[in-house]
Amino acid sequence: AQSVTQPDIHITVSEGASLELRCNYSYGATPYLFWYVQSPGQGLQLLLKYFSGDTLVQGIKGFEAEFKRSQSSFNLRKPSVHWSDAAEYFCAVGALEYGNKLVFGAGTILRVKS
Amino acid sequence: DADVTQTPRNRITKTGKRIMLECSQTKGHDRMYWYRQDPGLGLRLIYYSFDVKDINKGEISDGYSVSRQAQAKFSLSLESAIPNQTALYFCATSAATSGRYEQYFGPGTRLTVT
C-alpha cells in the first residue's frame, strides 16, 4: 500500500536558522509530490509541487524541496526561518496509477523560537 | 471571495443526530474530495467525486455519505453522528483536465460530537 512518512512530529528552530523537514514515501509508481502548510485555524495552502523535470523545485514563501528518487524522499527546506513560518506542514504523494488520489503524511509541527 | 467555501465552520452536535457539511467551489474544477483531519494522523480521504455522476469511497467512508448536487457542490453527511467522528473536516478540489493534480482546500469545518 502507498504510504507517506514524516518522521518528525515536532521541530523547533530558532528564527533565522535553516530548516529541513523530511518526507519519505513508499509508492509502486511514478509519484508526484506536494508540500502543504496549515497555519493555526486555517485550511491547507499549497507550498510547492513536483511532477517531473528538475528535481529541485521552488515554492512560495522562500521554500524549496528536492526529489530524490533513489531515497524515495522529498524534503522541504528553507535557508532562513521567520516566526511566521510556525505552522504544520504536510507532505502528500499521488500517482496517475492510483487514480490521482493523494496520500498525506501525518504532518510536522514547526515551532520557531526568537 | 474564497474559491472553496465550507459551511458551517464550526458545529457542535449530539450523538445520534444527522448532520450535513457543505462545500462549494468557484474554481470550475471537476474533482472534489472530503477529508478528515485528526491530530497525528494527517488527512484521510473519506469520499471523492470526479464528476457529478461519479462518487467513490475513500479510505474511511464508513458512517459517512456524500452527495454531488452540481459540479460546484459536494456535501458530506453523517447519518447518525458518534463521538469518534469529532474532527476537522476539509473539502478540496482539483482539475484533472489541466494535467495538474494539486488539490485546493477549503478552510475546514470543526465538528464536535458530544
Side-chain angles (χ1 to χ4, degrees):
Chain A
Q2 306 87 24
S3 66
V4 179
T5 302
Q6 293 180 245
D8 304 303
I9 298 173
H10 297 98
I11 281 185
T12 301
V13 299
S14 298
E15 191 169 17
S18 63
L19 171 70
E20 183 171 35
L21 302 182
R22 295 181 290 165
C23 174
N24 293 95
Y25 64 90
S26 174
Y27 252 68
T30 302
Y32 41 86
L33 302 139
F34 307 91
W35 275 99
Y36 285 87
V37 60
Q38 184 182 24
S39 298
Q42 303 294 315
L44 277 73
Q45 181 183 20
L46 180 65
L47 278 177
L48 47 76
K49 58 198 176 194
Y50 170 80
F51 292 98
S52 63
D54 193 346
T55 56
L56 183 64
V57 294
Q58 303 296 320
I60 63 172
K61 305 185 180 185
F63 285 92
E64 66 177 26
E66 186 171 13
F67 171 53
K68 293 185 177 181
R69 185 183 299 275
S70 62
Q71 299 178 18
S72 297
S73 69
F74 189 56
N75 294 347
L76 182 71
R77 300 194 294 248
K78 187 170 185 178
S80 178
V81 169
H82 187 263
W83 64 266
S84 61
D85 293 324
E88 188 163 16
Y89 292 80
F90 293 94
C91 179
V93 182
L96 181 65
E97 293 87 339
Y98 297 115
N100 300 318
K101 299 188 297 293
L102 297 187
V103 174
F104 285 80
T108 297
I109 296 172
L110 172 64
R111 299 190 178 108
V112 181
K113 60 182 181 181
S114 55
Chain B
D1 289 339
D3 295 321
V4 184
T5 57
Q6 293 183 233
T7 56
R9 293 293 311 278
N10 289 282
R11 181 72 182 268
I12 300 173
T13 192
K14 294 184 183 298
T15 297
K17 294 292 188 181
R18 183 180 189 275
I19 184 169
M20 178 181 289
L21 309 182
E22 299 187 346
C23 176
S24 295
Q25 53 114 345
T26 59
K27 299 184 77 67
H29 289 172
D30 46 356
R31 300 183 172 197
M32 299 187 73
Y33 310 80
W34 275 105
Y35 294 89
R36 66 176 280 175
Q37 181 183 17
D38 299 277
L41 296 179
L43 277 76
R44 293 179 292 167
L45 184 63
I46 306 172
Y47 271 96
Y48 61 102
S49 168
F50 284 176
D51 65 41
V52 175
K53 297 180 181 179
D54 176 76
I55 300 291
N56 303 281
K57 292 183 177 181
E59 180 186 354
I60 52 163
S61 59
D62 288 349
Y64 301 95
S65 62
V66 291
S67 172
R68 184 85 183 263
Q69 303 95 322
Q71 186 191 37
K73 296 184 182 296
F74 192 36
S75 299
L76 176 72
S77 293
L78 287 68
E79 296 300 326
S80 180
I82 57 176
N84 77 359
Q85 291 176 314
T86 293
L88 187 55
Y89 290 84
F90 286 105
C91 174
T93 73
S94 69
T97 52
S98 68
R100 302 295 190 187
Y101 301 106
E102 63 264 35
Q103 295 180 15
Y104 296 87
F105 285 80
T109 294
R110 185 166 297 280
L111 176 66
T112 303
V113 184
T114 61

